[in-house]
Amino acid sequence: MKDIIFKYDKEQKCFDIDLENPIGDSLYSRISLLLFTNARCEKYELPLQEKSRRGFWADSLDKSNTGSKLWLLDRAKISGNILDTAKSYCYQALEILINEGVISDLKIETYFANKIMVIEILVNTLNGSKKYSYNVGD
């Protein structure tokens, strides 16, 4: 089965269809979209300067909450607490992959490298393990 592959465009700071290599690791694309699509938050979770609870438009069709709440950390101060919160948001966003049987296990590590948050994800699939790394704020 051929899948459309998304890659991160550092200049535009968004994900886009990879026209150079449109066939590839669909799990990477799915994880990326789940992590970096803005999940809708509750009113009490909104940072003071935010008014929109955001959310993925298609969720209105099936009442799900696709994506992660990593966007809530955009203006947060660098601390160990933010790493724990980011890891929790990642687990919440990716647990659907376990529930659907796409992956059997998931390990997430978060740390700072030169004031940039790094999220490392290790997933176990039927075909073995795969590791993905994302630089957030890059």
Side-chain angles (χ1 to χ4, degrees):
M1 179 175 167
K2 296 181 180 180
D3 293 315
I4 295 174
I5 302 302
F6 292 91
K7 73 174 181 179
Y8 187 73
D9 183 332
K10 288 185 180 186
E11 290 177 17
Q12 299 292 325
K13 295 189 177 188
C14 66
F15 281 87
D16 202 353
I17 295 173
D18 187 346
L19 297 176
E20 295 171 11
N21 301 300
I23 309 303
D25 189 347
S26 60
L27 184 56
Y28 169 79
S29 288
R30 180 111 189 257
I31 289 172
S32 300
L33 290 171
L34 287 170
L35 289 179
F36 300 110
T37 296
N38 296 338
R40 187 168 179 83
C41 74
E42 299 299 327
K43 285 184 182 179
Y44 72 87
E45 295 175 297
L46 276 176
L48 294 176
Q49 65 278 9
E50 290 286 338
K51 291 185 173 47
S52 172
R53 293 172 50 203
R54 301 194 190 181
F56 180 51
W57 65 269
D59 286 344
S60 62
L61 302 174
D62 64 3
K63 305 294 186 222
S64 60
N65 196 14
T66 303
S68 79
K69 295 180 183 177
L70 287 171
W71 66 271
L72 291 170
L73 303 176
D74 282 349
R75 295 187 179 125
K77 294 185 180 194
I78 294 175
S79 69
N81 188 36
I82 193 174
L83 294 174
D84 292 338
T85 303
K87 188 185 292 190
S88 174
Y89 288 161
C90 291
Y91 275 114
Q92 289 171 13
L94 299 176
E95 72 181 339
I96 190 169
L97 298 175
I98 294 172
N99 295 342
E100 291 179 350
V102 174
I103 62 174
S104 60
D105 192 30
L106 168 71
K107 288 188 176 56
I108 299 171
E109 293 297 324
T110 55
Y111 59 90
F112 285 106
N114 297 322
K115 296 185 179 181
I116 295 173
M117 184 187 302
V118 177
I119 300 171
E120 289 185 347
I121 299 170
L122 179 67
V123 296
N124 291 320
T125 68
L126 295 175
N127 300 327
S129 296
K130 293 184 178 187
K131 186 175 184 179
Y132 302 102
S133 184
Y134 301 90
N135 296 333
V136 181
D138 191 7

